[in-house]
Amino acid sequence: MKTLLVYYSRTGNTRDVASKIAGEMKCDVEEIRDTQKRSGIIGFLKSGYQALRETDTVLEPYSRDPADYDLVIIGTPVWAGKPSVPVSTYLKENRSKIKKAAFFCTYGGTGEEGTFRRMAEILESEPLQNMAITEKEMKEGTCDCKIEPFVRELTS
């Protein structure tokens, strides 16, 4: 199965998880790049506000077409209980091209269920798998115990 891993990361946590998944799956990777500046406290506040309002953003052009893949794994940080604005925008722009999907998210407190639900609503289909990793699991280095079964399920 030809797999593409697509992710957006504001702070690096989602990027770290994406790197671990890609290393185990040997799949192609596409980092979603936003044209808006989202760093610092102002970027954090703006990002949460836009996620709540479900606004879209303008993304930089992609290098890979999700239509060329059997499975697209999509990773996002949780922003105000929703997927990040860049990931929501990506899903809206590519929903007709994604045959099968799996989701993962990184988060500090809560919101993973609402994030996965919203991603499925945008795609108009349920994912094969979901995986949520907390900031605490990242810091403690215990996220591998979630990544390994996630990858195993997707590759079996």
Side-chain angles (χ1 to χ4, degrees):
M1 177 165 35
K2 192 171 178 188
T3 303
L4 173 64
L5 189 151
V6 176
Y7 72 92
Y8 174 80
S9 188
R10 192 182 82 82
T11 64
N13 287 337
T14 308
R15 179 181 299 113
D16 291 346
V17 174
S19 178
K20 289 180 182 200
I21 294 169
E24 290 199 28
M25 293 192 73
K26 310 291 188 250
C27 59
D28 292 338
V29 178
E30 174 91 55
E31 181 174 5
I32 298 169
R33 299 197 184 274
D34 194 354
T35 58
Q36 292 188 40
K37 185 178 180 209
R38 297 192 180 275
S39 60
I41 190 69
I42 300 298
F44 172 80
L45 293 171
K46 176 174 75 171
S47 297
Y49 177 76
Q50 288 177 342
L52 274 174
R53 297 187 44 90
E54 296 188 3
T55 57
D56 292 333
T57 188
V58 176
L59 302 175
E60 291 183 11
Y62 323 124
S63 61
R64 301 182 187 279
D65 184 350
D68 296 337
Y69 296 86
D70 304 307
L71 171 65
V72 180
I73 302 169
I74 303 139
T76 184
V78 174
W79 290 356
K82 300 191 183 271
S84 66
V85 171
V87 166
S88 293
T89 301
Y90 181 90
L91 291 172
K92 290 172 188 173
E93 291 177 359
N94 291 286
R95 81 175 120 220
S96 66
K97 297 178 176 185
I98 297 173
K99 300 170 187 95
K100 292 180 186 173
F103 304 148
F104 73 93
C105 72
T106 58
Y107 65 108
T110 61
E112 72 280 10
E113 290 176 13
T115 296
F116 292 144
R117 185 172 42 255
R118 183 64 188 132
M119 291 169 77
E121 288 170 359
I122 294 169
L123 273 188
E124 300 175 348
S125 69
E126 291 299 316
L128 298 176
Q129 283 288 111
N130 288 333
M131 177 182 62
I133 295 183
T134 66
E135 189 174 5
K136 181 180 179 188
E137 290 167 327
M138 294 282 301
K139 286 181 181 171
E140 293 175 350
T142 59
C143 60
D144 288 352
C145 67
K146 289 185 173 181
I147 293 171
E148 289 171 10
F150 178 76
V151 168
R152 190 169 45 251
E153 281 294 319
L154 293 175
T155 56
S156 63

